[in-house]
């Protein structure tokens, strides 16, 4: 059986890479905190500008992700835990 989720290091960042059996070329990437510039309670790779982090740190983290993945934009869904 092929592994569908793997840890992948790119550009000093650590991602979870997701591949989808039966869908050649389809990929999804999830970030970890490894390799980011945010400090304090948001230490690491914070990408959410709504989280109370310094805007400059969030922008730098987003640029790092774009460069590491070689893409022009990211999707930042709003996840809610609870009702």
């Amino acid at each position: 059986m092929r592994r569908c989720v793997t840890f992948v290091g790119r550009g000093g960042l650590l991602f979870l890479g997701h591949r989808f059996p039966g869908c050649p070329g389809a990929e999804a990437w999830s970030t970890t905190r490894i390799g980011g510039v945010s400090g304090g309670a948001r230490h690491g790779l914070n990408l959410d500008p709504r989280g109370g982090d310094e805007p400059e740190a969030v922008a730098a983290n987003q640029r790092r992700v774009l460069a590491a993945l070689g893409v022009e934009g990211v999707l930042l869904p709003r996840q809610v835990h609870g009702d």
Side-chain angles (χ1 to χ4, degrees):
M1 178 173 211
R2 293 186 319 188
R3 184 182 293 185
C4 296
V5 179
T6 57
F7 282 101
V8 177
R10 287 190 177 180
L13 306 178
L14 184 63
F15 297 90
L16 285 173
H18 309 270
R19 299 192 188 279
F20 303 93
C23 296
E27 300 177 340
W29 298 93
S30 299
T31 58
T32 67
R33 289 187 175 268
I34 306 298
V37 300
S38 296
R42 304 284 185 236
H43 75 279
L45 192 68
N46 179 35
L47 301 173
D48 187 358
R50 300 168 293 217
D53 198 357
E54 294 294 325
E56 299 82 15
V58 172
N61 288 333
Q62 291 176 353
R63 285 192 301 273
R64 286 177 179 223
V65 170
L66 296 176
L69 295 179
V71 296
E72 295 180 11
V74 295
L75 175 63
L76 298 172
R78 178 111 173 126
Q79 184 174 0
V80 177
H81 298 280
D83 296 338

